[in-house]
Amino acid sequence: MLTIQEKAAAAVNCRRAVLDSGLTVLCRTMPDYSTVHAMFATAFGSTTRDFVWNGRPVHLPAGTAHFLEHKMFESEQGDAFEQFARTGASANAFTSWDYTCYLFSATDRIDENLDILLDMVNHPWFTRETIAKEQGIIGQEIKMYDDSPDWRLTTEALRCLYATDPVREDIAGTVESIATLTPELLYTCTDAFYRPGNMVLTVAGNITLEQAVEACRRAGLDRPQKPCSITMPLQVENGPIPRRQTQLAMPVNRPCFALAYREQPIAHGDVRRATLCDIVTELVCGGLTDLYRKLYDEGLVNPEFSGDCLATRTACAVLFTGESLQPRLVADLLRQEIARLRREGVDPRLFTLVKNEMYGELLAVLEGVENAATQLTGAWLKGCTLEDQITTLAALTPADADEALQTMLLPENEAYVQIDPVPGAPEAGE
């Protein structure tokens, strides 16, 4: 195992530093590349809705983290997007269930772009007037998400599996929920969660760790921080699935479906459990399985059919999703395959193939500047490293997958969602 860990560390080749402020800086230097990709992320996402900040209980309306992501690009000096445009950088941001990330890619003026990124996130600026303007803009974005079949599948599946967990709410919230936001509430969020100790700066490409750390020093992000107290409840939803089935109609070319399973949450830093969830999903219907080949060869699914594990602090779900003219038949075949694997055990040869494929994918992401930064950031936010993920995967055996299948993907934890074409809508190709 020690040899595997050493090989994993050498393959990842990531240097890191933890500053006096608590900020973690990760760097994968790739000198043969012309691009630098930087990500500044905080462990604060859409499911963080209730917490106690320095003894004061705080409740956030749905969509707060996403709204805050939009507002962080504004300052009294102007729009950060315009600043990035003047340096030739491409900037963006996104919010997930558990974290928010701000990023840029650039080939030139890297130090200047780092200064823009760190200053933007480190100096929030909110007014009632700018909040009111953004509420209208995000309201349109919410409506756009409602028109996305893929997103509706995911949200409807999570609403079937969970009655109260925040994961069932749209990441962007609702028009009504974001209407209640105030500058005071947003500043509370930045004070509580946009602290260096809750954040990570990741850079990959033609850049050094020393260069990234120096940018943090210029921004004042290396200084020790005042102590603070923040606690968040860990309420895990158990009991019967709230809703077994949902069926709705949207303007899609063919039916879409999701077969979803509620699982026990994955503890922060539990790399083994997270990896097992991924490998079990691949063993059921991944591209190397007989089931996938059967479904694809018989025209029951298209190449987008897949299984995914979605996890937050308090929730975990496995979703098998795709398009099919016979969605209920595909769902039945999935159920039969899960039951067979639980009864007979996994094929050791298939297990090795899937494991090698996952290992290859972990190494492949390190060859791209953006992918490397993204994976390094994601691992840190989950409480681990890419080296941890590689060594954990290497240690797994078919017996581990067999054991996991005895408690995963259980019928009593299952829900089914189907989106049908709106009656009268044209079929694909018409």
Side-chain angles (χ1 to χ4, degrees):
M1 180 55 68
L2 181 60
T3 301
I4 293 173
Q5 291 173 332
E6 291 172 348
K7 288 183 177 179
V12 174
N13 188 25
C14 171
R15 295 178 65 201
R16 62 197 57 141
V18 180
L19 308 185
D20 291 342
S21 63
L23 176 66
T24 297
V25 183
L26 306 176
C27 177
R28 176 170 165 81
T29 301
M30 305 165 73
D32 295 332
Y33 290 75
S34 60
T35 304
V36 169
H37 192 78
M39 307 184 79
F40 197 23
T42 174
F44 174 60
S46 68
T47 57
T48 304
R49 299 281 303 282
D50 292 279
F51 58 97
V52 178
W53 170 239
N54 289 334
R56 178 168 66 94
V58 180
H59 174 73
L60 302 178
T64 300
H66 174 260
F67 192 95
L68 187 57
E69 170 219 312
H70 278 240
K71 295 304 300 171
M72 294 299 282
F73 283 89
E74 291 185 0
S75 71
E76 292 183 273
Q77 289 71 44
D79 191 308
F81 279 117
E82 295 178 0
Q83 293 178 275
F84 280 119
R86 286 195 291 269
T87 63
S90 173
N92 209 339
F94 63 87
T95 304
S96 75
W97 289 296
D98 273 344
Y99 59 91
T100 307
C101 186
Y102 304 86
L103 56 96
F104 75 80
S105 288
T107 57
D108 194 15
R109 301 167 70 173
I110 303 305
D111 290 340
E112 188 175 349
N113 284 308
L114 281 170
D115 290 343
I116 295 170
L117 176 70
L118 298 178
D119 181 72
M120 173 190 87
V121 179
N122 201 31
H123 294 94
W125 178 69
F126 314 119
T127 68
R128 294 191 182 277
E129 292 74 21
T130 58
I131 286 175
K133 178 182 176 182
E134 198 67 38
Q135 284 164 338
I137 294 171
I138 294 181
Q140 295 301 313
E141 184 177 341
I142 291 170
K143 294 176 183 177
M144 182 181 68
Y145 279 118
D146 287 340
D147 292 334
S148 168
D150 290 341
W151 186 242
R152 285 295 298 276
L153 266 182
T154 300
T155 54
E156 292 298 334
L158 293 173
R159 285 168 185 165
C160 285
L161 297 178
Y162 295 95
T164 59
D165 193 284
V167 76
R168 72 189 306 276
E169 304 290 345
D170 195 296
I171 288 174
T174 65
V175 173
E176 293 76 19
S177 68
I178 63 173
T180 64
L181 290 170
T182 64
E184 294 76 19
L185 196 55
L186 294 182
Y187 279 122
T188 296
C189 292
T190 55
D191 288 344
F193 297 103
Y194 281 66
R195 295 174 291 106
N198 196 51
M199 302 186 74
V200 60
L201 172 67
T202 306
V203 293
N206 193 10
I207 188 172
T208 65
L209 177 65
E210 290 74 18
Q211 192 176 350
V213 169
E214 183 57 34
C216 294
R217 292 198 177 103
R218 290 195 302 271
L221 288 170
D222 59 328
R223 304 166 189 160
Q225 301 291 297
K226 294 180 180 179
C228 64
S229 170
I230 182 167
T231 58
M232 292 184 288
L234 188 63
Q235 297 176 343
V236 177
E237 191 169 329
N238 292 304
I241 298 298
R243 195 165 66 222
R244 289 288 183 179
Q245 180 173 301
T246 292
Q247 193 164 353
L248 62 150
M250 290 182 67
V252 294
N253 288 328
R254 61 181 61 200
C256 309
F257 72 94
L259 186 65
Y261 294 87
R262 189 177 72 190
E263 309 293 343
Q264 285 299 304
I266 300 172
H268 188 69
D270 189 347
V271 191
R272 186 176 185 277
R273 173 101 191 288
T275 307
L276 271 172
C277 284
D278 289 335
I279 202 168
V280 164
T281 304
E282 285 296 310
L283 288 167
V284 172
C285 67
L288 296 172
T289 63
D290 290 339
L291 176 61
Y292 180 88
R293 178 53 56 189
K294 170 185 172 64
L295 295 173
Y296 184 74
D297 288 347
E298 295 181 9
L300 291 170
V301 298
N302 58 22
E304 281 68 44
F305 168 71
S306 65
D308 293 292
C309 180
L310 310 177
T312 71
R313 286 179 62 251
T314 57
C316 179
V318 173
L319 274 62
F320 300 100
T321 60
E323 296 180 357
S324 178
L325 293 175
Q326 300 184 65
R328 292 185 183 275
L329 172 60
V330 176
D332 284 340
L333 291 171
L334 279 166
R335 294 183 184 101
Q336 292 171 25
E337 180 64 4
I338 292 167
R340 186 192 69 79
L341 288 171
R342 186 175 294 122
R343 182 177 64 253
E344 301 177 6
V346 302
D347 178 352
R349 179 177 173 276
L350 175 62
F351 180 89
T352 300
L353 290 172
V354 168
K355 183 173 166 177
N356 289 344
E357 181 184 49
M358 292 175 64
Y359 177 78
E361 290 171 350
L362 280 172
L363 295 183
V365 300
L366 296 172
E367 298 305 312
V369 170
E370 180 176 346
N371 287 337
T374 300
Q375 294 300 315
L376 288 167
T377 301
W380 185 88
L381 290 163
K382 294 174 184 175
C384 65
T385 66
L386 282 185
E387 298 100 299
D388 294 334
Q389 294 178 354
I390 292 171
T391 54
T392 299
L393 178 63
L396 290 179
T397 67
D400 295 323
D402 289 338
E403 182 181 4
L405 277 162
Q406 300 308 308
T407 57
M408 287 183 61
L409 310 178
L410 300 178
E412 58 266 32
N413 295 330
E414 175 194 296
Y416 177 79
V417 178
Q418 183 171 315
I419 298 177
D420 294 315
V422 174
E427 293 291 332
E430 290 188 4

